[in-house]
Amino acid sequence: MKEKTKVLFICLGNICRSPAAEGALKNLVHQKKLTHSFEIDSCGTSGYHDGDLPDPRTRKAAEKRGIHLTHKSRKLTTNDLNYFDYLLVMDENNFKDVMSLTRDTKIQEKIFLFGQFRSDKGEPIVPDPYYKTEPAFDKVQDLVEDCSRGFLNFLGV
Ligand code: 4NP
């Protein structure tokens, strides 16, 4: 039997962008009846919000799209770098931070800017909404859903 594709979303706090992306991809994979083929998780490069649920604004934006987020924030570990097949980061700071944790090119090749999978070929960044207001959280939710579609396309599913 084919192994699961293991996907880890990474942002700074793991309470806004990466749990939103985790929810969006899980939702799409569920719709495609492919849940059994994937393991999908998220984490942060910081442990600032360890154990916290996603930000209430993130949860609200997801709920509007029928997605219920229950993930608890956790910090990225070195084990994650080995375990997951795809390390999908939200911005260049995340990219640099994760890259700096390893010199192993096999691991570095697993790190992608998630925004590179967006359909409009805009900036390959999912911007941090934390210091912004609700519309920014809706935009993040739309963007991570679009990028999730692009990522599944990239995987050929
Ligand atoms: P995230 O957003 O990286 O998308 O989860 C942030 C959450 C918290 C903080 C910064 C960004 N913070 O500074 O606490």
Side-chain angles (χ1 to χ4, degrees), residues 11-19 48-49 90 94 128-131:
C11 61
L12 174 61
N14 192 213
I15 54 166
C16 300
R17 294 164 292 173
S18 61
Y48 299 158
H49 294 275
M90 300 294 147
N94 308 149
D128 183 355
Y130 188 61
Y131 295 104

Side-chain angles (χ1 to χ4, degrees), residues 108-123:
Q108 290 178 341
E109 284 165 9
K110 300 195 289 185
I111 308 171
F112 295 84
L113 276 170
F114 188 43
Q116 79 175 65
F117 299 107
R118 65 193 287 175
S119 59
D120 64 2
K121 305 294 166 221
E123 209 192 358

Side-chain angles (χ1 to χ4, degrees), residues 39-51:
E39 182 170 337
I40 302 165
D41 194 7
S42 67
C43 67
T45 55
S46 78
Y48 299 158
H49 294 275
D50 248 354

